[in-house]
Amino acid sequence: MPHAPNLGEEDLDAVPPPQPVFHVEQALLGALLLEPHRLDDVNGITADSFSTAAHAALYTAISTLPRPEPAEHAKNTTWLDRVLATSREQARGLNAIYLHALVQVCPWPSHAPAYARMVEAEHARRRLLTAAEHLIHTVHDASLPLPAQTVLAEADALAAVVDDIATRFPPRSGVLPRTPAPSPDLAPDHTEAAEEEQLLLATATARPDDIDAVRWLLPDDLTLPLHAGLWQCLTTLARRGEPIDPVTVLWEAQQRGLLDNGREPGEVLRMLAEPAGSVGHWAERALQRSLLATAEHTGRRIEAYAGDPANTPFQLVVGARRALADIAAVRTRWQHATGAAPPQQRRTAPAIRAGPPTTTAAHAARSTRATR
């Protein structure tokens, strides 16, 4: 939960609210302080739903202390004093002046349920934003021994947040986020990816009988347009049962216009003439890279949606589910490629990590490790 900066006793109520929801939280708390029985009409929120530690502490005190008799509450401040004393255990900056200000800014105590719904909606947006950020950070964690599996678990955690929000804010048909989705970024490990894809193409050209075993790899999984086109040439020739060698692949590439941008035929022939390792290994590496890139783009799409306060929870659920569908499609192919079973548990408290999802190794060392 985001916390406000440390606030002094005399300037707590003078800090300008960073978000409109701050006003909503004040109105809700003021309603509950003025008429504690309104708590019966409030549901769907907890202390974590509030945007500041001070408001969270106040709500905890209000919702846990025994309620006063309405007649007594109207005549004295005994219950308010208890609320202040209890909440100050968690937020020392609170004072009686601020509680009085909350009561004063509440327009209509009877609107408490509406205020609570607004607080809940903003909390849903913050939860989704945090889960999307966790997914992006996990993609960039270079220390993970099993990056694909960990990223998929993080995607499941994000999906669980979306499902939870949907139970409170069922999506409406056709209501999409107003925020434009960000464009996909180029692979951060461009050099390593290009090198490994060249090894994939050369090895598949030398061992065409292995191409059928990696049908789960699609041209779009490769990072460079030329490599994607050459992979399509290889799979097409294999499907037709035609001879495959560097020359036949080059001819197919010409028929598909892959040489129209000034690409030298000799360069393509040299690329296809240096096989190493196995087709399965390089194909799996390419698919894992595609999965991570898809997860990052999905996370950034949802991050963009959740970062726009104008999007309603209904829009966020629809947009997030559409974005997550991209991961689901790659996940199916990844599980087919690796024989991995779907994860049985979802991570609920992922750590924030940083760093690109790449490693640096010599070409010869990678080729040796790739041999199976």
Side-chain angles (χ1 to χ4, degrees):
M1 176 186 70
H3 294 282
N6 291 331
L7 303 173
E9 292 188 2
E10 297 184 5
D11 62 359
L12 179 64
D13 55 347
V15 176
Q19 296 291 339
V21 72
F22 190 87
H23 292 291
V24 178
E25 293 175 1
Q26 286 186 320
L28 174 59
L29 292 171
L32 298 179
L33 290 171
L34 187 61
E35 300 180 4
H37 69 276
R38 299 289 180 186
L39 192 62
D40 292 334
D41 302 325
V42 172
N43 55 62
I45 63 172
T46 64
D48 287 339
S49 303
F50 290 83
S51 62
T52 72
H55 288 177
L58 275 171
Y59 184 79
T60 298
I62 292 170
S63 58
T64 56
L65 287 174
R67 298 179 205 172
E69 291 294 330
E72 288 296 317
H73 185 55
K75 291 189 292 185
N76 59 63
T77 63
T78 302
W79 184 75
L80 294 177
D81 294 339
R82 291 176 182 171
V83 169
L84 179 59
T86 302
S87 58
R88 278 176 58 87
E89 295 175 4
Q90 301 297 323
R92 294 182 178 274
L94 285 168
N95 55 36
I97 296 175
Y98 190 64
L99 267 65
H100 179 72
L102 292 177
V103 172
Q104 294 298 313
V105 300
C106 177
W108 295 98
S110 61
H111 293 176
Y115 303 150
R117 186 69 165 171
M118 297 173 193
V119 170
E120 183 184 10
E122 181 65 13
H123 182 227
R125 189 179 68 82
R126 292 197 306 269
R127 289 179 61 205
L128 190 60
L129 180 61
T130 299
E133 291 171 346
H134 282 164
L135 175 61
I136 296 169
H137 283 298
T138 301
V139 169
H140 287 272
D141 186 350
S143 68
L144 296 175
L146 300 172
Q149 291 87 330
T150 308
V151 165
L152 287 175
E154 204 67 62
D156 285 340
L158 174 55
V161 172
V162 176
D163 290 343
D164 186 58
I165 295 172
T167 61
R168 293 292 300 163
F169 299 91
R172 297 166 181 169
S173 177
V175 183
L176 294 172
R178 60 182 292 276
T179 313
S183 301
D185 294 328
L186 293 176
D189 55 338
H190 180 81
T191 301
E192 184 178 22
E195 195 171 301
E196 292 186 357
E197 289 171 6
Q198 289 180 14
L199 291 172
L200 166 66
L201 296 168
T203 307
T205 301
R207 301 168 188 167
D209 291 344
D210 294 341
I211 295 176
D212 188 62
V214 295
R215 286 179 295 176
W216 33 261
L217 185 69
L218 303 180
D220 287 345
D221 292 324
L222 278 64
T223 59
L224 298 181
L226 175 64
H227 295 172
L230 289 174
W231 182 250
Q232 192 166 23
C233 293
L234 281 162
T235 56
T236 299
L237 291 173
R239 187 175 64 253
R240 294 175 185 165
E242 298 182 10
I244 294 179
D245 61 38
V247 174
T248 62
V249 175
L250 176 66
W251 186 257
E252 183 70 19
Q254 176 179 271
Q255 303 304 302
R256 293 177 177 271
L258 299 181
L259 307 180
D260 291 348
N261 294 326
R263 181 74 62 174
E264 291 291 336
E267 180 183 350
V268 175
L269 289 174
R270 286 190 295 272
M271 180 194 307
L272 300 176
E274 299 180 4
S278 70
V279 174
H281 172 79
W282 299 122
E284 187 175 313
R285 288 280 296 172
L287 183 57
Q288 175 175 286
R289 188 176 293 106
S290 178
L291 187 152
L292 297 180
T294 300
E296 178 173 17
H297 184 52
T298 295
R300 295 202 181 279
R301 282 177 63 185
I302 298 176
E303 181 184 48
Y305 297 154
D308 186 349
N311 287 321
T312 67
F314 310 103
Q315 291 173 304
L316 294 178
V317 169
V318 172
R321 282 180 169 171
R322 290 200 176 192
L324 287 166
D326 292 342
I327 296 182
V330 184
R331 178 204 294 264
T332 299
R333 294 189 289 118
W334 173 256
Q335 291 173 349
H336 182 70
T338 61
Q344 299 300 313
Q345 295 182 345
R346 290 177 173 175
R347 294 179 59 188
T348 56
I352 294 179
R353 314 177 183 93
T358 63
T359 57
T360 302
H363 173 92
R366 281 203 306 275
S367 299
T368 303
R369 289 196 305 270
T371 306
R372 295 182 174 178

